[in-house]
Amino acid sequence: MKQLAICVPIYNQPEMLREMFVRCLSNYEDFGIDIYIYDSSSDNETENVIREYRADYRNLYYKHLSADICSNIKVLEAYQEIIEAKKYEYLWLCPDYIQLTRQGTESVLEHCREGFDICVLNYRDVENIGEKRYTDINAFFLDCAWHMTSYMATVIKLASFADVDWEEFYKRYTIPGRMLHSHVAFYFEQLAKLPKVKAMHVPVSAAHLRVSSYRKDSLWKKEIYPIWCDYWPDMVHALPDRYQYKEEVIKKLGVNTGILSWNNFKALRRENIYDLDVFHTYRNKWKNLSNVPGGLLWLLAVMPPKLAAILKKPSLKQILLKRQLKRFCRRHKDIFIYGCGFMAQKTSSLLRKLQIKPCGYVVSDRSIEKQKFHGLPVIEYQELPSPDSNPDVGVIMALNKVNTVQVMKEKQGLNRYDIFYMHRYEGML
């Protein structure tokens, strides 16, 4: 029996899948990991990518489903088929835009050897839980349930999920008000049956996984309020009575993800997605869903969208960021950006607005990155010009705080460069 399989649900994203294969497929094959692609695309482009790579890789499995199938139904069908095949110890549900690095793969497999029933991989450990093991199912529910809405979050031990009553589960959780969070219900319905639970929370970083450069805005953006304010609470309330802290878990999703944050309310008001009708629909529920005061939500709802755009004007901190970034770049003839992720993209966009052109991008390991990023070369840290031979080099660290600290510890001599730390302004990008 193999240790791990990865299930990738995909819809009309052939280039994203190709990027995953380029970066990950050899890595997965080296570790004996099989990849299951559940494709509901409306054309044959994704299947063509699979056919191309199957010529060289034997760890690829493909299934095409109807284009109108709900993503969650696709996921449940994948779980059912792979569990019943009894070929693997563990299964990780991975969205098409997430790519494990070699270090990330080693970490997942290492934790699998501990024999957990369920493991949560958390790339936004906003509560600073760190690596933690659980035998208390309610403590695990409170800490981790909100993040398990993300497809990439959960690795399960298939033997612990082998006795699912699929007919009853579908009847209970694939109704309209619960279907979009049915994968979370699947985890907690099964865990509630176990006399003893062994669960884990594992924080992951950019060293463990990467996000595809082809990722687009979520398709459910205009349905955000029903999904998060109606469907999520309805699903949580439907879980077995064994689970305490249901109200706390419901609120954590909107708060910890930022979906029901002040900044997101402002952005959705500018797009006229958040309006007075939405405010009144959840008027008596906001305090149980978000930390934003109801008075502010009403004020924003009655504000014309064009006027709400004023709230997007640069704050003093944004003005300070631009001023200090320009001052830093004036001191250096050659500017390099450390990183090729989300923050690096935001930093690149800001530099373009300031009419500053960097020389290129720096990464710790170029073998898992593209040769170019935003049209500029990508180099490894060892290739960065020495500050002794070129004192004009300046490095912009475009990583979050955790990854910045990690890189600064690992890369000897990096502290000898003049460095601008973007994580200090992360909320302003």
Side-chain angles (χ1 to χ4, degrees):
M1 182 178 289
K2 290 189 175 182
Q3 189 173 22
L4 179 67
I6 298 176
C7 173
V8 182
I10 192 165
Y11 174 76
N12 287 348
Q13 296 287 358
E15 290 307 314
M16 189 180 291
L17 187 66
R18 185 184 298 277
E19 182 185 61
M20 176 193 284
F21 285 172
V22 168
R23 288 183 168 184
C24 304
L25 205 50
S26 293
N27 174 37
Y28 294 158
E29 186 179 54
D30 289 345
F31 286 100
I33 298 171
D34 289 342
I35 314 300
Y36 286 79
I37 309 297
Y38 278 74
D39 173 32
S40 57
S41 300
S42 56
D43 56 35
N44 296 324
E45 293 303 311
T46 300
E47 187 172 4
N48 291 338
V49 174
I50 296 289
R51 189 177 294 112
E52 175 187 340
Y53 279 85
R54 261 185 168 171
D56 298 312
Y57 294 93
R58 300 176 64 86
N59 60 332
L60 274 178
Y61 296 86
Y62 175 80
K63 183 171 183 178
H64 189 269
L65 302 168
S66 170
D68 59 2
I69 190 172
C70 172
S71 174
N72 283 72
I73 299 298
K74 181 163 55 175
V75 165
L76 293 175
E77 183 172 325
Y79 272 134
Q80 183 173 0
E81 291 182 351
I82 297 173
I83 288 171
E84 291 176 352
K86 298 181 180 179
K87 293 170 59 178
Y88 309 95
E89 291 183 53
Y90 289 92
L91 175 62
W92 178 44
L93 178 63
C94 175
D96 47 18
Y97 60 85
I98 291 292
Q99 305 154 2
L100 272 187
T101 66
R102 192 170 189 87
Q103 182 177 339
T105 308
E106 290 173 345
S107 177
V108 170
L109 293 175
E110 179 184 348
H111 285 100
C112 285
R113 287 190 282 274
E114 292 196 36
F116 58 77
D117 298 302
I118 192 162
C119 177
V120 168
L121 308 176
N122 194 343
Y123 63 90
R124 46 187 178 194
D125 188 10
V126 296
E127 295 181 329
N128 297 312
I129 297 170
E131 189 165 303
K132 184 175 179 180
R133 290 154 181 79
Y134 301 83
T135 55
D136 182 341
I137 194 171
N138 275 293
F140 177 71
F141 179 60
L142 179 62
D143 282 353
C144 300
W146 68 271
H147 184 61
M148 292 162 71
T149 57
S150 173
Y151 277 175
M152 63 75 55
T154 310
V155 185
I156 64 170
K157 184 178 182 180
L158 298 186
S160 302
F161 288 76
D163 62 343
V164 182
D165 183 340
W166 289 104
E167 183 178 352
E168 179 61 28
F169 182 84
Y170 272 83
K171 186 187 302 182
R172 185 169 174 79
Y173 288 104
T174 60
I175 60 177
R178 299 172 188 170
M179 183 162 56
L180 295 183
H181 299 291
S182 55
H183 59 298
V184 184
F186 171 71
Y187 307 137
F188 286 103
E189 280 283 342
Q190 285 304 113
L191 291 176
K193 297 177 182 179
L194 301 179
K196 294 182 180 179
V197 173
K198 188 175 181 180
M200 292 188 67
H201 174 275
V202 178
V204 293
S205 67
H208 300 93
L209 56 83
R210 286 170 171 77
V211 177
S212 172
S213 56
Y214 292 100
R215 189 184 183 188
K216 301 176 182 178
D217 285 342
S218 299
L219 298 175
W220 44 257
K221 191 173 183 180
K222 291 186 178 180
E223 298 296 319
I224 186 170
Y225 293 109
I227 291 173
W228 261 254
C229 301
D230 290 324
Y231 306 159
W232 169 244
D234 188 24
M235 188 284 296
V236 172
H237 285 139
L239 291 175
D241 292 338
R242 182 177 178 182
Y243 293 104
Q244 306 165 15
Y245 312 121
K246 289 185 178 181
E247 298 307 321
E248 293 91 333
V249 165
I250 288 169
K251 188 170 184 176
K252 275 191 175 188
L253 181 62
V255 173
N256 287 355
T257 61
I259 290 170
L260 298 180
S261 67
W262 174 239
N263 284 337
N264 207 35
F265 274 111
K266 289 189 297 182
L268 295 176
R269 180 66 192 125
R270 289 192 291 269
E271 297 180 50
N272 208 24
I273 295 173
Y274 175 69
D275 56 22
L276 199 54
D277 286 341
V278 173
F279 171 79
H280 283 301
T281 298
Y282 304 102
R283 181 172 187 170
N284 297 322
K285 297 181 180 180
W286 288 127
K287 64 181 179 181
N288 300 318
L289 298 168
S290 171
N291 284 336
V292 182
L296 275 180
L297 292 177
W298 173 82
L299 184 63
L300 184 64
V302 298
M303 186 180 295
K306 290 183 178 179
L307 186 59
I310 295 174
L311 299 175
K312 196 178 180 181
K313 286 190 173 181
S315 66
L316 289 176
K317 196 168 185 178
Q318 286 176 309
I319 294 170
L320 181 62
L321 164 61
K322 292 178 181 179
R323 184 179 299 168
Q324 293 187 347
L325 195 54
K326 284 194 283 188
R327 187 180 302 163
F328 174 84
C329 292
R330 280 198 297 265
R331 294 202 305 266
H332 302 283
K333 182 180 177 181
D334 299 323
I335 299 293
F336 288 86
I337 299 174
Y338 204 115
C340 283
F342 175 76
M343 192 175 292
Q345 291 189 38
K346 294 291 187 178
T347 300
S348 302
S349 176
L350 178 57
L351 290 178
R352 282 196 298 272
K353 292 177 182 177
L354 297 176
Q355 297 183 328
I356 297 170
K357 185 174 181 179
C359 297
Y361 298 84
V362 184
V363 294
S364 301
D365 182 359
R366 193 175 57 191
S367 66
I368 52 179
E369 292 290 351
K370 298 178 180 179
Q371 298 301 305
K372 287 193 173 184
F373 189 68
H374 288 287
L376 296 174
V378 176
I379 64 172
E380 290 194 357
Y381 169 62
Q382 296 88 331
E383 302 172 79
L384 191 63
S386 167
D388 296 327
S389 61
N390 187 352
D392 288 331
V393 173
V395 178
I396 300 174
M397 292 296 290
L399 304 171
N400 64 33
K401 185 176 180 179
V402 173
N403 292 335
T404 296
V405 171
Q406 181 179 339
V407 169
M408 294 300 295
K409 286 181 179 178
E410 292 178 352
K411 303 303 176 186
Q412 294 183 356
L414 184 54
N415 59 358
R416 295 173 57 232
Y417 292 90
D418 192 11
I419 297 177
F420 189 94
Y421 296 98
M422 291 302 296
H423 73 80
R424 295 173 179 171
Y425 305 89
E426 189 169 358
M428 298 297 106
L429 291 175

